[in-house]
Amino acid sequence: MTAFDPELAEALKDLPSGPPLSAESLAGMRQAMAEMNLSCAEAIGDRDLVWEDREVPGTDVVVTVVKPRDARGAPGFYNIHGGGMVLDNRFADLPRMVAMVEEFGFVAVTVDYRLAPEHSHPAPLEDCYAGLTWMVENAAELGFDPARLIVGGGSAGGGLSAGIALLARDRGGPALAGQLLLCPMIDSRNDSPSTMEFAERGVWGREANEFGWRSLLNGQTSPYAVPSTAEDLTGLPPAFIEVGAAEIFRDEDVDYARRLWQAGVPTELHVWAGAYHGFDRFAPDSEVARAARATRASWLRRTIGRA
């Protein structure tokens, strides 16, 4: 049985316990997670950055823009939060996103999308796509170069990022410079060897995963919702895929990277030994989390530099 990295295992001991994810526990878990998220003012602190909330015309989609005070011709980053398709909001990734804005000068946009099960597919995907197209249409006002735009997120956000990369290709939409897929949730079958091995270990298990997918799909199927089922992966933007070796998404993410390579898509894959789902959030000061951030930064520098 795959062991957790010692530093990461220690961090698991400090995580609060709660009820299993279910229809009954969902409202309470949403409220608890929302209360844990930082505000923009808290996340930015004394950095010389500005932020604002914007509404996407013709939709109920709200986004938050975080950028340098004098952004001109900057690279762009479009962030999609995780939460198993049923949890969290656009502020969840602010610490990571603010750090990226400060390091790379990104004009970053983070999107709120409607959550399942109240809003099943395609509502979350279409919300994310609407926010992406709004960002590109307003590139000049926001101060970024649309030719250097990366989409990304973790877990469900990684799955939705992969989905809108497919959707943008097929609709002739925004041309993306890259897709940053952090432990992406991309396969609804929920039956891989890693899913079985870590069914009840770590922070996201098989039962929660099944609830998330059932809530999103509601009996439907679509390669945009479940990117692992897409038959044609050609013509997609360069991809960075990161996953823990000790989490349920390991095998589906490794397989997706393999298929991207076979489709001719420049793809970088990193599987972190002993790492469970979301390790960089739960143990940000661990050696493996520091290594993961440095590796992402290297890919980002290379990607926005050559776009």
Side-chain angles (χ1 to χ4, degrees):
M1 181 175 288
T2 304
F4 292 141
D5 174 273
E7 279 189 290
L8 302 185
E10 189 65 26
L12 276 181
K13 298 177 183 178
D14 297 328
L15 295 183
S17 59
L21 180 59
S22 66
E24 293 70 31
S25 67
L26 186 58
M29 295 179 74
R30 283 177 176 171
Q31 181 175 352
M33 294 181 77
E35 291 173 353
M36 290 172 57
N37 290 339
L38 299 179
S39 67
C40 285
E42 291 169 331
I44 291 172
D46 60 1
R47 298 175 176 89
D48 191 24
L49 307 177
V50 296
W51 65 273
E52 64 174 330
D53 294 331
R54 299 285 295 269
E55 296 180 359
V56 177
T59 76
D60 294 325
V61 177
V62 176
V63 300
T64 294
V65 182
V66 179
K67 64 178 184 175
R69 189 172 300 277
D70 297 314
R72 298 178 187 177
F77 187 81
Y78 184 71
N79 182 79
I80 305 176
H81 72 80
M85 307 292 180
V86 297
L87 294 164
D88 233 329
N89 59 38
R90 69 186 187 277
F91 303 114
D93 297 326
L94 279 179
R96 180 174 68 212
M97 197 176 83
V98 166
M100 291 168 61
V101 172
E102 184 176 41
E103 182 173 359
F104 299 102
F106 279 120
V107 169
V109 170
T110 182
V111 60
D112 255 340
Y113 54 89
R114 287 170 290 175
L115 299 173
E118 297 91 337
H119 304 283
S120 59
H121 176 77
L125 183 83
E126 292 292 353
D127 287 352
C128 292
Y129 190 75
L132 177 70
T133 55
W134 173 88
M135 183 179 181
V136 172
E137 289 168 357
N138 291 274
E141 177 197 346
L142 296 173
F144 78 94
D145 177 3
R148 296 198 294 157
L149 174 59
I150 292 174
V151 62
S155 194
L160 287 163
S161 295
I164 65 170
L166 287 161
L167 198 61
R169 179 200 65 182
D170 294 346
R171 288 183 177 175
L176 299 169
Q179 46 182 327
L180 182 73
L181 311 180
L182 307 179
C183 52
M185 179 181 176
I186 55 173
D187 193 335
S188 62
R189 287 171 290 192
N190 209 26
D191 62 359
S192 70
S194 60
T195 300
M196 300 302 181
E197 182 179 358
F198 298 99
E200 298 180 356
R201 299 173 62 206
V203 299
W204 185 255
R206 188 166 185 255
E207 184 177 346
N209 199 46
E210 194 278 331
F211 176 79
W213 278 118
R214 184 175 71 249
S215 299
L216 176 73
L217 296 177
N218 192 26
Q220 307 172 76
T221 183
S222 165
Y224 305 116
V226 191
S228 65
T229 64
E231 294 183 4
D232 179 13
L233 299 181
T234 60
L236 290 173
F240 178 99
I241 299 177
E242 171 191 295
V243 68
E247 67 160 293
I248 66 172
F249 294 150
R250 179 194 67 203
D251 294 345
E252 64 195 62
D253 291 354
V254 170
D255 187 62
Y256 196 64
R258 176 188 60 80
R259 294 186 57 224
L260 287 169
W261 287 323
Q262 292 176 344
V265 177
T267 302
E268 193 162 313
L269 170 68
H270 296 273
V271 182
W272 295 102
Y276 47 74
H277 191 70
F279 66 94
D280 61 319
R281 294 185 67 176
F282 299 113
D285 297 325
S286 64
E287 181 65 27
V288 65
R290 289 195 296 268
R293 288 194 296 271
T295 304
R296 295 173 203 162
S298 172
W299 180 82
L300 287 168
R301 283 192 298 270
R302 288 176 281 128
T303 300
I304 61 178
R306 68 186 177 214

